[in-house]
Amino acid sequence: MIVMTSKPLKFADEQLKRSPFYERQVELNPRDAWSAWNGYKHANFYYDEQYEYFCIRNLCGTYDITAMQKYIVTGDDAESMLDRLVTRDMTKLRENRVTYVVWCTDAGRVIDDGTVFKLGPQKYMLTCGSPCIAWLRKACFGYNDVHVEDASDNIAALAFQGPTSCETLKEMGLSGIETLKPFGIMTFPFKDTELMVSRTGFTGDLGYELWVDAAHGLDLWDDLYAAGENYGIQPFGEGALNMARLEAGFIMPYMEFNEALKTVHFEHDQTPFELDLGWLVDFKKPRFNGRAALLAEKKRGPKYTLCKLDIEGNKPAEESEIYSDKGCTKKIGYVTSAMWSPVVKASIALAMIETKHMDGELFAEIYYSKELRSYSKVAKCTIKKKPFWAPARAKATPPGPY
């Protein structure tokens, strides 16, 4: 007779956490394509990133953002603390609205970007891609009544994106969801709790983000997927998201910028002006972290500026260098993200360009392989001011049927 004994798994406390949606996600991930994000098991893709990309652009899809950091900021000094922390004016943010923000060191280097939700008179939720609780607690020094709670593991969240997303939410019973404006918030009764829906996202398309307590994560998934059965609902992973956000011209940590607190080499981090986010910096505010340094940079101009590039030909300019001449003798920048865009039908990229050369000619030296051999080509680049992809439905209220 064999006696089975149960032993604790070795390094059990080091294993990746499972999102509240994992039980459903694992059934839809036949490739077992997982990575890690903030200690959570996170899907690179489920079936195929190209397939998932087309679902975002033509139907609707869910992206698990449970691993995103979520901080609840409350107290009479909550608004003042956040206003001091970020470069944008928080006094202008109304209840049930969301705004995009960055926060910086005293030297004006970007620590992270994220969103701030105003949930009540003195209640906010700040979300960001990387843990930031230590910096937030330091930002509370000097205030009498402000409290920061790390609610990251307590809230299950899904980004729900694509042209049929609104119709799916209406099918789910979220009455009036079609009236929600971009960056707005609505709440709905859900089981014995509340479901918060924000019209936000990272794809540049029509989309929403759904927030519920972690205990009701599976209920949310099941109800949403039942409602979306006739609307082409499909989960998508990091690969498809990265394609969609690049078409929208959105920045990604560790691609377009390094977090200042984790950057070792001098000026290998970035400022808001270098990231073409000067519109987020409000100098009408008398004080915020990095104000003096950013004011000085505005007067002299940033050394580099992040640009959107339309690149001739069909070769993605991944990790390419940018030059001011076709002979590639004078390097003036580098590509941060690149792809062949299926919807734009062009080779597109984001690139850091020396600001003084932005008005001149630009060329990318592209390396690629073909049947085990390496090749290179030089392609002319054109700076684009607007997002590569910005469908009218992304801002329309109501979005209309698709």
Side-chain angles (χ1 to χ4, degrees):
M1 179 179 180
I2 300 175
V3 179
M4 302 295 290
T5 59
S6 178
K7 292 184 179 180
L9 286 171
K10 209 171 184 181
F11 307 117
D13 57 340
E14 296 292 330
Q15 291 192 358
L16 293 174
K17 294 181 285 188
R18 270 52 167 170
S19 135
F21 309 113
Y22 179 77
E23 189 176 327
R24 299 292 183 267
Q25 292 172 324
V26 71
E27 296 172 350
L28 299 171
N29 196 329
R31 314 297 189 202
D32 206 25
W34 303 96
S35 60
W37 179 20
N38 290 337
Y40 277 88
K41 198 171 184 179
H42 186 71
N44 282 328
F45 59 89
Y46 289 85
Y47 178 72
D48 176 83
E49 66 179 40
Q50 295 279 341
Y51 170 77
E52 293 161 24
Y53 160 84
F54 282 106
C55 286
I56 299 170
R57 290 295 183 234
N58 295 288
L59 299 164
C60 61
T62 59
Y63 177 78
D64 189 354
I65 54 173
T66 299
M68 181 178 289
Q69 300 299 280
K70 315 170 201 75
Y71 302 106
I72 306 299
V73 184
T74 54
D76 290 340
D77 294 324
E79 181 184 274
S80 296
M81 187 278 278
L82 288 171
D83 196 49
R84 175 69 179 261
L85 173 76
V86 304
T87 62
R88 206 164 192 178
D89 189 347
M90 286 293 97
T91 66
K92 296 179 180 178
L93 184 61
R94 305 190 308 274
E95 279 189 48
N96 293 318
R97 295 290 295 169
V98 187
T99 192
Y100 176 55
V101 296
V102 295
W103 52 103
C104 301
T105 65
D106 286 343
R109 319 302 290 188
V110 173
I111 294 173
D112 207 348
D113 68 340
T115 49
V116 175
F117 295 62
K118 189 167 185 179
L119 306 178
Q122 287 295 345
K123 183 178 182 181
Y124 298 82
M125 180 172 74
L126 183 148
T127 69
C128 53
S130 296
C132 205
I133 188 66
W135 188 262
L136 292 178
R137 286 172 177 162
K138 288 179 180 178
C140 292
F141 289 170
Y143 293 99
N144 295 321
D145 185 18
V146 61
H147 176 71
V148 178
E149 174 196 354
D150 187 349
S152 302
D153 292 339
N154 302 329
I155 300 174
L158 286 174
F160 184 45
Q161 307 285 299
T164 63
S165 56
C166 184
E167 292 300 306
T168 299
L169 293 178
K170 286 163 64 177
E171 181 72 20
M172 188 177 159
L174 304 191
S175 178
I177 190 65
E178 69 277 6
T179 66
L180 184 61
K181 295 180 179 179
F183 293 96
I185 300 170
M186 294 179 76
T187 55
F188 301 89
F190 185 74
K191 310 303 180 184
D192 58 351
T193 186
E194 228 178 30
L195 171 66
M196 182 174 79
V197 181
S198 57
R199 191 168 166 184
T200 48
F202 200 50
T203 65
D205 212 319
L206 173 63
Y208 304 83
E209 291 174 333
L210 315 180
W211 313 81
V212 74
D213 64 86
H216 288 83
L218 278 184
D219 293 328
L220 171 60
W221 182 284
D222 290 343
D223 285 11
L224 182 63
Y225 270 72
E229 185 176 1
N230 293 326
Y231 294 97
I233 192 169
Q234 162 77 35
F236 63 94
E238 188 75 14
L241 178 73
N242 195 41
M243 294 174 69
R245 70 91 194 169
L246 177 51
E247 290 177 336
F250 295 154
I251 63 173
M252 179 80 85
Y254 301 112
M255 299 190 79
E256 278 63 55
F257 74 97
N258 290 312
E259 297 171 16
L261 299 183
K262 301 175 184 177
T263 304
V264 176
H265 298 290
F266 180 64
E267 292 188 347
H268 279 227
D269 49 11
Q270 289 74 32
T271 72
F273 291 110
E274 290 179 334
L275 293 171
D276 199 25
L277 297 176
W279 56 277
L280 290 180
V281 182
D282 191 341
F283 288 113
K284 293 179 181 178
K285 296 200 306 180
R287 61 186 65 85
F288 58 86
N289 285 1
R291 187 181 189 278
L294 291 173
L295 185 58
E297 184 185 29
K298 183 181 180 182
K299 291 177 180 177
R300 70 175 181 268
K303 182 178 179 181
Y304 285 91
T305 299
L306 185 69
C307 301
K308 293 178 278 290
L309 299 182
D310 185 338
I311 301 173
E312 67 177 4
N314 61 2
K315 300 299 182 188
E318 294 172 344
E319 299 185 355
S320 293
E321 307 286 4
I322 304 297
Y323 296 87
S324 61
D325 62 305
K326 195 169 184 179
C328 298
T329 61
K330 185 173 179 57
K331 178 184 169 184
I332 58 169
Y334 58 94
V335 169
T336 60
S337 300
M339 65 179 285
W340 168 260
S341 167
V343 71
V344 181
K345 300 295 188 292
S347 177
I348 63 174
L350 294 178
M352 278 290 187
I353 308 293
E354 289 183 26
T355 307
K356 63 184 179 182
H357 291 289
M358 285 174 55
D359 293 331
E361 289 191 311
L362 305 174
F363 296 89
E365 186 176 23
I366 303 172
Y367 288 86
Y368 61 98
S369 61
K370 184 165 58 177
E371 294 181 334
L372 304 181
R373 294 191 182 186
S374 297
Y375 295 85
S376 67
K377 64 175 290 187
V378 177
K380 190 171 184 178
C381 308
T382 304
I383 293 178
K384 297 294 184 181
K385 297 298 184 183
K386 296 182 179 180
F388 301 109
W389 172 251
R393 61 178 177 254
K395 294 182 178 179
T397 305
Y402 178 78

